[in-house]
């Protein structure tokens, strides 16, 4: 028995060493095949001897225990952020401030600012015990099972000179290459794309199934050690130590003794970062000595011993080839530039938004112009300017179109709005298809089809509106390309399931202009069935909290159109939910009617979302920020000091969880 245990342990060590060489050092020493053989052998031994189970075995990196939602855990040290600076002047200020405050020699450690998801890892006796997300800084999600699948994070540390218990913080990242591949796959499967690797990494880390996380190939960089007994007084030196324990620590770190050295580092990496496999968005400057860090201390939000210098948004320059005008489901026309492919922060850009008619006019852009492109938070980058000096031959001036590119109707513009739209809502193809796609979408009826399939059904003449999705016959679909019995069954199943989608999502699915997810919820809560909603007057509609004149008019206009009423009637006969559930209705009270709540802090008995739902169920309203309209602040632990001060100024009542639960 002992021999088997030893064998298992030796294999675990060997496999972890291979992982380390591959994922941390990028210097693999064995072939993938040899690696797989070793892993298989270990899996077999562990299966035969479950008594030697260890959550930190490399076999567990593939992901195992599936949990419903993440447990919330309190951070031993709050997870604060850094003050951001955007100019050289501010870096100088930081340096001079530090110099004055310390009044002795000091070193500034310069590092890259990695743009991923922050994580806190806890190690006890050399083994990973917990991985927690930032959350609200005080408490985060326990994502240990997911983090165990990240191969560059050591489950057991090398050497033996680590503190018995310590925390190490860093960033979980999705490399550009993995991000591109994932988005390509999602596009093929007609799934929504991630806007950037950070969102993709964050979405991955929140996955309920660690096997999915393992498949997404996340990476990590660690940059901050915390604990009672760290090896030395130097932050840089401690990170170098952590490197020997098996952590992935960036090589881009430098101890600087002057502003010149700091600016050299910044300027070098502002260019060089474009060649890195992961996203970075700045430089972090940290006073190196932990003793000096303690002396400088913290403000309520961030340390005084560190700042982040953010790089300017990366810009690329590329030639404008042509402009497309796209028509969305509500008829709005969006101009999109086709560019010569150009590399921009890690991905190749070929298309960029040209905003609207007014901006096109202001940019005075011509075909063939060399345009500046930047990435915002959205999936599609935007044109921010034209390099007129690079104009050597002037092409046609880009003008906003006057007629719909799809149906030829004359475009219209609402007073005071920048966007032009096609008014031919029922005869314009992209609008019809767009509405069906919206109806079938994940947040609406969640029918198992995307853009391509809607196109296919529409072009084959099988559907003209969303209701037609419910009368499609298997034989009709089977005649189409790429369909087989199995995929038809999946489709029909999702159609059946859509009949259980709750009323508020059905309202959202109808695609009433201006009515988003929250708007639909508000309308559903105020008008408990579709007949009440269809019969509502303008006055009744604007009486609903947060429903303004624009939404009210849009709802009225929508139901004034006969074909929309016919659509609703047809969907009703197919069994969609057009009223709130009896159960939901029975749970409703008006105990909190007319009362507005702001939720702040961390709670022990229920989550914030649960409290929000309770407030709504009892007729109350949730607001995001404290104002004179707030009636109560439901305060948990660590309520934000700004909110507290404002509440006191305005004389708003602050209640605890217990008080609230008694109220309802
Ligand atoms: S040190 C007390 N170092 O940027 C804060 N942070 O707002 C200690 N980040 O929360 C953080 N790269 O998520 C540090 N080399 C680096 C970093 C880094 C990225 C993130 C981190 C932090 C945020 C700053």
């Amino acid at each position: 028995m002992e021999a088997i245990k030893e064998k298992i342990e030796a294999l675990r060590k060997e496999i972890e060493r291979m992982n380390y060489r591959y994922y941390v050092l990028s210097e693999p020493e064995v072939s993938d095949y040899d690696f797989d053989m070793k892993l298989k052998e270990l899996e077999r031994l562990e299966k035969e001897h479950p008594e030697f189970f260890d959550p930190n075995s490399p076999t567990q990196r593939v992901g195992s225990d599936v949990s419903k939602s993440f447990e919330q855990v309190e951070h031993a040290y709050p997870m604060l952020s850094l003050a951001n600076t955007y100019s050289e002047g501010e870096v100088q200020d930081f340096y001079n401030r530090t110099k004055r405050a310390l009044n002795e020699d000091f070193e500034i450690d310069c590092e890259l600012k990695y743009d991923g998801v922050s994580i806190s890892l806890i190690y006890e006796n050399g083994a990973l015990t917990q991985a927690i997300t930032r959350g609200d800084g005080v408490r985060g999600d326990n994502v240990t099972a997911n983090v165990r699948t990240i191969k560059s994070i050591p489950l057991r540390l090398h050497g033996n000179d680590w503190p018995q218990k310590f925390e190490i913080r860093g960033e979980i990242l999705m490399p550009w290459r993995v991000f591109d591949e994932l988005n390509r796959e999602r596009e093929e499967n007609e799934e929504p794309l991630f806007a950037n690797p950070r969102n993709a990494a964050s979405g991955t880390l929140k996955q309920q199934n660690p096997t999915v996380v393992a498949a997404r190939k996340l990476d990590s960089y660690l940059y901050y050690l915390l604990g009672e007994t760290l090896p030395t007084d130097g932050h840089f030196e401690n990170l170098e130590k952590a490197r020997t324990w098996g952590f992935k620590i960036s090589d881009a770190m430098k101890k600087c003794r002057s502003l010149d050295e700091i600016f050299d580092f910044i300027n070098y990496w502002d260019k060089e970062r474009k060649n890195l496999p992961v996203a970075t968005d700045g430089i972090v400057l940290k006073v190196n000595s932990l003793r000096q860090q303690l002396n400088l201390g913290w403000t309520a939000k961030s340390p005084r011993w560190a700042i982040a210098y953010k790089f300017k948004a990366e810009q690329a320059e590329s030639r404008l080839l042509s402009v497309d005008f796209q028509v969305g489901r509500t008829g709005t026309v969006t101009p999109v530039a086709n560019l010569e492919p150009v590399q921009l922060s890690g991905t190749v850009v070929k298309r960029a938004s040209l905003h609207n008619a007014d901006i096109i006019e202001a940019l005075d852009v011509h075909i063939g112009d060399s345009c500046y492109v930047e990435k915002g938070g959205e999936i599609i980058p935007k044109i921010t300017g034209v390099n007129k000096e690079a104009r050597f031959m002037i092409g046609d001036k880009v003008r906003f179109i006057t007629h719909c590119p799809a149906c030829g109707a004359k475009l219209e513009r609402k007073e005071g709005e920048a966007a032009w739209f096609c008014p031919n809502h029922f005869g314009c193809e992209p609008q019809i298809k767009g509405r069906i796609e919206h109806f079938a979408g994940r947040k609406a009826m969640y029918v198992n089809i995307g853009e391509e399939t809607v196109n296919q059904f529409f072009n084959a003449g099988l559907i003209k509106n969303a209701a037609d999705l419910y009368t499609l016959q298997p034989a009709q679909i089977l005649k189409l390309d790429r369909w087989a019995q199995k995929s038809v069954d999946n489709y029909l199943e999702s159609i059946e399931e859509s009949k259980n989608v709750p009323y508020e999502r059905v309202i959202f699915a109808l695609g009433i202009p201006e009515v988003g997810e929250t708007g639909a919820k508000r309308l559903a809560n105020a008008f408990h069935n579709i007949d009440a909603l269809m019969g509502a007057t303008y006055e009744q509609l604007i009486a609903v909290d947060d429903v303004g004149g624009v939404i009210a008019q849009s709802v009225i206009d929508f139901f004034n159109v006969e074909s929309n009423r016919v659509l609703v009637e047809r969907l009703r006969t197919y069994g969609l939910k057009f009223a709130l559930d009896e159960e939901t209705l029975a749970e409703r009270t008006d105990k909190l009617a007319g009362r507005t709540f702001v939720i702040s802090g961390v709670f022990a008995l229920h989550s914030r979302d649960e409290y929000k739902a309770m407030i709504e169920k009892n007729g109350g309203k949730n607001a995001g920020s404290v104002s004179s309209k707030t009636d109560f602040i439901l305060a948990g632990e660590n309520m934000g000091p700004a909110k507290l001060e404002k509440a006191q100024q305005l004389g708003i009542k602050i209640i605890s969880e217990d008080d609230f639960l008694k109220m309802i």
Side-chain angles (χ1 to χ4, degrees):
M1 218 46 172
E2 267 313 294
I4 299 228
K5 189 168 176 217
E6 267 169 32
K7 170 115 200 170
I8 289 182
E9 268 162 16
L11 268 171
R12 284 176 182 161
K13 271 216 171 103
E14 196 179 351
I15 294 170
E16 275 307 290
R17 203 192 61 240
M18 294 174 180
N19 266 335
Y20 172 72
R21 296 203 53 116
Y22 189 95
Y23 290 101
V24 179
L25 303 182
S26 307
E27 290 165 2
E29 58 178 355
V30 293
S31 69
D32 290 356
Y33 177 82
D34 290 343
F35 178 86
D36 289 341
M37 287 302 109
K38 293 267 184 228
L39 194 65
K40 282 223 165 73
E41 190 185 351
L42 177 60
E43 274 167 0
R44 182 181 58 78
L45 286 173
E46 286 182 346
K47 204 165 162 194
E48 286 168 8
H49 300 277
E51 66 276 25
F52 300 135
F53 173 80
D54 179 348
N56 282 334
S57 164
T59 54
Q60 299 305 304
R61 286 201 191 264
V62 289
S64 47
D65 46 339
V66 181
S67 60
K68 240 322 21 32
S69 72
F70 299 104
E71 171 207 7
Q72 292 259 306
V73 246
E74 195 155 330
H75 291 293
Y77 308 85
M79 237 171 137
L80 303 185
S81 61
L82 297 169
N84 283 330
T85 62
Y86 297 87
S87 69
E88 296 200 346
E90 287 173 288
V91 172
Q92 257 165 7
D93 290 348
F94 167 75
Y95 189 85
N96 293 331
R97 212 166 45 232
T98 308
K99 193 169 170 176
R100 268 199 310 277
L102 288 174
N103 200 19
E104 60 177 345
D105 279 353
F106 63 97
E107 290 171 316
I108 297 285
D109 181 50
C110 291
E111 298 170 12
L112 282 172
K113 184 168 184 308
Y114 289 96
D115 191 12
V117 182
S118 18
I119 194 81
S120 188
L121 307 175
I122 295 161
Y123 285 81
E124 282 171 74
N125 302 316
L128 174 70
T129 54
Q130 232 174 20
I132 317 171
T133 62
R134 177 203 294 280
D136 61 4
V138 178
R139 275 157 184 256
D141 286 335
N142 179 350
V143 290
T144 317
N146 283 347
V147 165
R148 275 190 215 287
T149 68
I150 302 171
K151 305 283 204 325
S152 61
I153 291 183
L155 302 180
R156 284 187 178 287
L157 301 181
H158 307 183
N160 52 18
D161 54 350
W162 19 261
Q164 187 263 331
K165 178 169 181 172
F166 70 97
E167 208 166 317
I168 189 162
R169 293 186 181 167
E171 216 76 359
I172 306 283
L173 299 143
M174 181 175 284
W176 288 111
R177 192 181 43 75
V178 179
F179 168 73
D180 286 341
E181 201 178 304
L182 175 65
N183 261 357
R184 237 192 333 271
E185 242 171 57
R186 291 174 75 86
E187 200 164 10
E188 264 168 36
N189 298 335
E190 306 195 344
E191 287 169 321
L193 303 188
F194 287 114
N196 52 49
R198 182 181 0 94
N199 290 2
S202 160
T204 304
L205 219 51
K206 298 266 160 73
Q207 280 281 332
Q208 293 300 337
N209 184 350
T211 324
V212 177
V213 184
R216 294 246 185 112
K217 304 194 191 88
L218 296 173
D219 202 348
S220 68
Y221 276 105
L222 285 312
Y223 47 64
Y224 185 29
L225 275 157
L226 287 146
E228 310 257 304
T229 49
L230 298 182
T232 77
D233 177 59
H235 163 77
F236 181 95
E237 289 73 14
N238 286 341
L239 286 184
E240 284 301 339
K241 245 294 142 298
R243 193 195 296 280
T244 68
W245 301 333
F247 291 107
K248 192 156 179 172
I249 309 287
S250 175
D251 289 321
M253 286 202 302
K254 185 170 188 259
K255 280 197 289 179
C256 297
R257 299 188 138 267
S258 70
L259 268 170
D260 280 347
E261 280 185 275
I262 294 174
F263 286 125
D264 283 349
F265 187 91
I266 292 181
N267 293 332
Y268 176 79
W269 282 107
D270 197 359
K271 292 202 185 63
E272 208 45 46
R273 72 191 181 108
K274 289 166 197 158
N275 301 321
L276 295 174
V278 293
T280 55
D281 61 348
I283 300 287
V284 181
L285 296 99
K286 303 174 183 171
V287 169
N288 194 50
S289 152
L290 304 190
R291 176 184 59 82
Q292 291 177 336
Q293 289 183 1
L294 267 179
N295 270 337
L296 291 163
W298 303 70
T299 70
K301 276 192 274 175
S302 51
R304 287 203 189 83
W305 47 264
I307 51 160
Y309 168 84
K310 298 268 272 203
F311 293 129
K312 291 187 191 58
E314 239 189 284
Q315 246 185 11
E317 212 179 310
S318 173
R319 210 155 283 287
L320 177 64
L321 303 175
S322 61
V323 178
D324 288 339
F325 291 88
Q326 293 178 344
V327 186
R329 75 173 160 93
T330 57
T332 305
V333 179
T334 333
V336 180
N338 293 307
L339 302 166
E340 249 169 33
V342 61
Q343 188 77 27
L344 174 62
S345 357
T347 51
V348 177
V349 171
K350 291 184 225 147
R351 289 161 70 72
S353 165
L354 264 168
H355 317 266
N356 57 45
D358 299 342
I359 293 185
I360 290 183
E361 206 41 50
L363 286 172
D364 182 33
V365 55
H366 291 65
I367 299 296
D369 270 352
S370 190
C371 297
Y372 299 118
V373 209
E374 271 179 30
K375 270 190 191 165
E378 310 80 33
I379 292 173
I380 176 153
K382 45 188 190 264
I383 304 276
T384 54
V386 175
N387 181 358
K388 300 226 166 111
E389 277 163 26
R391 202 182 252 173
F392 57 95
M393 272 209 321
I394 195 155
D396 287 343
K397 183 174 158 69
V398 177
R399 289 179 203 283
F400 208 88
I401 45 173
T402 52
H403 290 78
C404 176
C407 72
K410 192 166 180 345
L411 299 184
E412 293 177 10
R413 165 134 98 162
K414 288 200 183 108
E415 190 152 326
E417 280 182 23
W420 288 91
F421 69 93
C422 164
N424 181 17
H425 297 309
F426 298 97
C428 178
E429 249 184 48
Q431 295 190 56
I432 301 172
K433 289 182 193 167
R435 280 196 299 271
I436 303 176
E437 261 169 53
H438 168 83
F439 177 90
R442 196 176 277 267
K443 291 182 170 170
M445 305 308 288
Y446 206 175
V447 178
N448 198 2
I449 54 173
E451 187 181 338
E452 254 176 76
T453 312
V454 170
N455 256 325
Q456 195 185 23
F457 286 175
F458 185 91
N459 295 341
L462 298 181
I463 56 171
K464 291 201 170 50
N465 58 44
D468 294 339
L469 293 173
Y470 290 80
T471 52
L472 278 181
Q473 295 304 312
Q476 292 176 299
I477 311 178
L478 273 170
K479 278 195 204 125
L480 303 175
D481 273 356
R482 300 191 311 272
W483 284 87
Q485 194 57 48
K486 177 91 188 102
S487 45
V488 173
D489 290 346
N490 285 343
Y491 169 74
L492 293 174
E493 198 179 309
S494 74
I495 279 286
E496 268 323 295
E497 274 168 19
S498 77
K499 296 177 184 170
N500 297 321
V501 164
Y503 171 52
E504 65 266 19
R505 270 174 55 194
V506 178
I507 296 186
F508 174 64
L510 290 178
I512 307 171
E514 311 292 341
V515 177
E517 266 182 285
T518 17
K521 224 192 231 171
R522 292 201 179 107
L523 292 174
N525 285 337
F527 305 96
H528 294 175
N529 60 57
I530 194 77
D531 295 311
L533 181 62
M534 289 205 284
T537 63
Y538 182 84
E539 283 67 32
Q540 286 170 328
L541 284 162
I542 54 167
V544 179
D545 269 333
D546 290 321
V547 170
V550 177
I551 298 183
Q553 195 53 53
S554 180
V555 172
I556 294 198
D557 292 346
F558 184 86
F559 290 117
N560 269 341
V561 174
E562 189 185 348
S563 57
N564 287 335
R565 288 199 307 271
V566 172
L567 181 80
V568 168
E569 286 321 316
R570 277 186 67 200
L571 292 172
R572 199 201 296 254
T573 57
Y574 303 144
L576 270 63
K577 287 203 164 150
F578 275 113
L580 277 188
D581 282 337
E582 297 288 323
E583 270 169 56
T584 321
L585 270 177
E587 282 173 11
R588 267 164 202 277
T589 79
D590 48 12
K591 283 183 197 153
L592 306 178
R595 303 292 172 82
T596 299
F597 289 77
V598 169
I599 302 184
S600 181
V602 198
F603 298 93
L605 303 173
H606 295 276
S607 72
R608 292 167 75 104
D609 283 345
E610 283 167 352
Y611 279 120
K612 277 191 182 165
M614 285 185 223
I615 290 171
E616 278 176 18
K617 239 188 228 162
N618 289 289
K621 194 180 142 187
N622 289 295
S625 58
V626 180
S627 74
S628 57
K629 289 188 193 147
T630 313
D631 296 295
F632 294 100
I633 296 192
L634 173 51
E637 253 177 77
N638 295 309
M639 167 175 171
K643 269 191 188 150
L644 186 61
E645 203 185 311
K646 192 147 184 212
Q648 281 162 350
Q649 268 172 16
L650 295 169
I652 296 165
K653 213 166 169 196
I654 300 177
I655 56 171
S656 69
E657 284 182 276
D658 289 328
D659 299 335
F660 175 79
L661 293 170
K662 273 184 211 134
M663 264 170 106
I664 61 167

